[in-house]
Amino acid sequence: MLLQRYRLAAGLSQDELAERAGLSRRGISDLERGQRRTPHPATVRRLVRALELEPRDQAVLVAATRSQ
């Protein structure tokens, strides 16, 4: 849910985020639906950069992926 919220706030589709992050659209979809709960740290870093998150939001996303 958190990833989807950040993606929508950035005005990106799943395809656009996937392209920016160098990930698959399926991977983005799986993360948003909770099918993948513990993404690799490199994946999280790619998402943070692609979403251009502020430091506070970066910390929230990283913490959320670690707590899963």
Side-chain angles (χ1 to χ4, degrees):
M1 288 289 250
L2 186 60
L3 176 59
Q4 183 179 35
R5 185 172 64 193
Y6 286 139
R7 177 179 60 78
L8 293 174
L12 299 172
S13 68
Q14 287 183 342
D15 288 327
E16 291 167 328
L17 177 57
E19 185 175 328
R20 278 187 177 193
L23 302 168
S24 70
R25 189 208 53 80
R26 169 89 186 257
I28 300 296
S29 176
D30 287 352
L31 287 168
E32 287 187 355
R33 291 181 292 118
Q35 296 296 319
R36 291 187 54 217
R37 296 180 190 268
T38 54
H40 192 277
T43 299
V44 177
R45 286 191 299 270
R46 286 176 173 214
L47 291 168
V48 164
R49 282 193 304 269
L51 290 166
E52 300 177 352
L53 296 177
E54 297 293 325
R56 180 180 178 279
D57 292 328
Q58 290 176 23
V60 170
L61 184 61
V62 169
T65 59
R66 286 185 182 155
S67 68
Q68 300 278 338

